[in-house]
Amino acid sequence: MIIHISDQMDQQGYDLLEKTLTRLSIGFTSVTTQRQQYYVCIPKEPFDIRVIGNLSGVLDVHRVSDPFKLVSSQWKTGRSAIDLGNDVLISDRDFSLMAGPCSIESEKQITAVADFLLSQGIRIMRGGVFKPRSSPYAFRGLGLEGLKLFHGICRTKGIKIVTEVMQVAETEQMAPYVDIFQVGARNSQNFNLLDALGSMDVPVLLKRGISGTIEELLQSAEYIFSKGNEKILLCERGIRTFEPAYRNTFDINAISILKEKSHLPVIADPSHGIGLRKHVGNITMAAFVAGADGAIVEIHPEPERAFSDGQQTLDFNEFSCLHKKIRHLKEAFRK
Ligand code: PEP
Ligand code: MN
């Protein structure tokens, strides 16, 4: 159950609400986000919700049977959108393309990608500076200095940044330079990190775990929301299956199911989803058709020289062809 609290609620109102919940033996968690205030309750026995609904300062009471509550679509009418400022909005009214290299490598590379994105009318650039790598000998990113360089160049061009944060200790120092924090697949259930990001007012792109279920992804999103941060993007990036013909199995079903189960925007990551450059475009289009609200795509001026994930990275020409096809799809679907 979610109790939606009016911003006019006074102390007496809170006291009475909590006393009533305690009398009914209903455990509760009070959640204050950057947008609203809620009480999330897990009642053990059925009860008359009018007892709560009639209290002063209570806007609404919603029954939510899903195990994840605040991120569930069972209570919210309409879909959540994320406003990054300067007219950059991620919502279900558009398909937001975000693109950039797997790893930030140099000033020259950032500038080349940022200028290319601007020429395409794309305002969100991805790029990792803290890279989770399977091998400790692989390139692990340029770190905070790389992020400052990335931010400095993108800010002057009006481009927003999405970059991965790997540990709680780095959240605060990264925040001034980040527009969207990415939580990578390997950290999808790092609950301490999710708690920390939930306490900040920075949007989070939360990726599905490598072997994570849809419900686990939604429960991870619930961690962030319940700590106070509503600005969450759910990301399908492929899961590990028995199939070795490609890097991951992009779960197209998850796009449609996530849109049904949650009011949060759903973003596809076709690059990691299939892991093969040649097929990234088709999978992006499939994600669009399945109902995704956007996609995050790896691109590089010279994919064969990329420090990481070159095998799944599009060059500028391939990306602009894909962008054109997406524009056509958008037009076709509008009709
Ligand atoms: C990435 O975005 O480059 C990345 C490492 O993603 P994932 O966590 O999905 O593997
Ligand atoms: Mn990558």
Side-chain angles (χ1 to χ4, degrees):
M1 180 176 73
I2 294 176
I3 305 170
H4 203 162
I5 307 295
S6 146
D7 50 12
Q8 308 297 323
M9 175 88 112
D10 58 14
Q11 193 52 50
Q12 254 184 329
Y14 287 116
D15 291 346
L16 184 57
L17 171 62
E18 296 196 4
K19 229 166 86 189
T20 310
L21 290 170
T22 307
R23 181 167 52 78
L24 294 167
S25 305
I26 300 173
F28 58 85
T29 306
S30 156
V31 173
T32 306
T33 72
Q34 61 275 83
R35 291 178 184 153
Q36 308 271 340
Q37 194 185 353
Y38 316 88
Y39 275 66
V40 180
C41 306
I42 319 279
K44 291 195 185 77
E45 309 276 336
F47 74 100
D48 184 352
I49 60 169
R50 286 170 298 185
V51 179
I52 307 289
N54 289 337
L55 295 175
S56 100
V58 170
L59 281 182
D60 225 332
V61 184
H62 309 272
R63 287 191 197 278
V64 179
S65 57
D66 286 329
F68 42 87
K69 305 289 176 192
L70 292 158
V71 305
S72 168
S73 52
Q74 286 181 346
W75 69 274
K76 190 165 172 174
T77 42
R79 304 206 57 85
S80 295
I82 295 191
D83 189 350
L84 297 172
N86 308 103
D87 295 325
V88 185
L89 184 74
I90 302 172
S91 77
D92 70 336
R93 279 176 291 283
D94 203 9
F95 184 78
S96 300
L97 269 177
M98 318 170 203
C102 179
S103 299
I104 292 300
E105 298 168 4
S106 65
E107 185 174 343
K108 191 171 157 220
Q109 177 227 31
I110 302 166
T111 308
V113 175
D115 286 340
F116 169 69
L117 291 182
L118 280 186
S119 76
Q120 294 283 308
I122 288 177
R123 306 275 305 281
I124 308 174
M125 177 165 163
R126 62 149 289 147
V129 293
F130 294 105
K131 297 299 306 175
R133 304 305 302 276
S134 302
S135 163
Y137 308 114
F139 178 65
R140 294 172 71 181
L142 296 181
L144 192 62
E145 287 316 304
L147 178 59
K148 289 181 183 169
L149 188 67
F150 184 18
H151 173 258
I153 296 168
C154 287
R155 192 189 42 192
T156 58
K157 296 179 189 291
I159 290 182
K160 306 290 178 184
I161 285 177
V162 50
T163 196
E164 178 161 356
V165 57
M166 284 175 39
Q167 43 177 323
V168 176
E170 282 157 353
T171 52
E172 292 291 339
Q173 55 188 10
M174 289 175 75
Y177 310 104
V178 172
D179 298 293
I180 303 173
F181 273 127
Q182 174 176 313
V183 173
R186 291 151 194 85
N187 267 319
S188 196
Q189 285 192 308
N190 178 341
F191 301 120
N192 293 331
L193 182 61
L194 302 176
D195 276 346
L197 296 172
S199 311
M200 303 174 87
D201 188 16
V202 180
V204 179
L205 176 97
L206 174 65
K207 292 207 183 188
R208 182 175 179 183
I210 289 174
S211 301
T213 64
I214 289 173
E215 188 171 312
E216 283 166 341
L217 173 63
L218 291 165
Q219 289 283 35
S220 291
E222 187 79 10
Y223 265 83
I224 301 171
F225 202 131
S226 63
K227 279 285 171 194
N229 187 356
E230 295 197 17
K231 299 175 184 170
I232 306 164
L233 301 154
L234 301 169
C235 181
E236 165 57 37
R237 50 79 72 198
I239 46 173
R240 180 166 289 174
T241 69
F242 52 80
E243 179 52 68
Y246 32 78
R247 185 177 179 185
N248 291 300
T249 298
F250 183 77
D251 183 3
I252 197 85
N253 301 350
I255 303 278
S256 207
I257 299 282
L258 286 169
K259 291 278 302 226
E260 180 205 343
K261 289 191 180 290
S262 177
H263 55 83
L264 298 172
V266 177
I267 305 297
D269 174 351
S271 307
H272 295 86
I274 189 157
L276 300 167
R277 182 174 173 184
K278 200 169 152 184
H279 302 286
V280 166
N282 286 345
I283 301 305
T284 311
M285 291 190 285
F288 173 93
V289 175
D293 301 301
I296 181 162
V297 179
E298 288 185 337
I299 64 166
H300 192 286
E302 295 174 283
E304 34 305 298
R305 287 174 184 266
F307 289 8
S308 57
D309 283 351
Q311 82 290 344
Q312 63 192 32
T313 297
L314 304 187
D315 65 22
F316 292 170
N317 189 36
E318 288 164 329
F319 183 82
S320 54
C321 287
L322 169 61
H323 193 190
K324 202 165 149 193
K325 288 181 186 164
I326 292 286
R327 281 197 299 266
H328 288 322
L329 277 179
K330 278 189 194 177
E331 255 170 54
F333 272 68
R334 230 172 260 138
K335 280 175 195 157

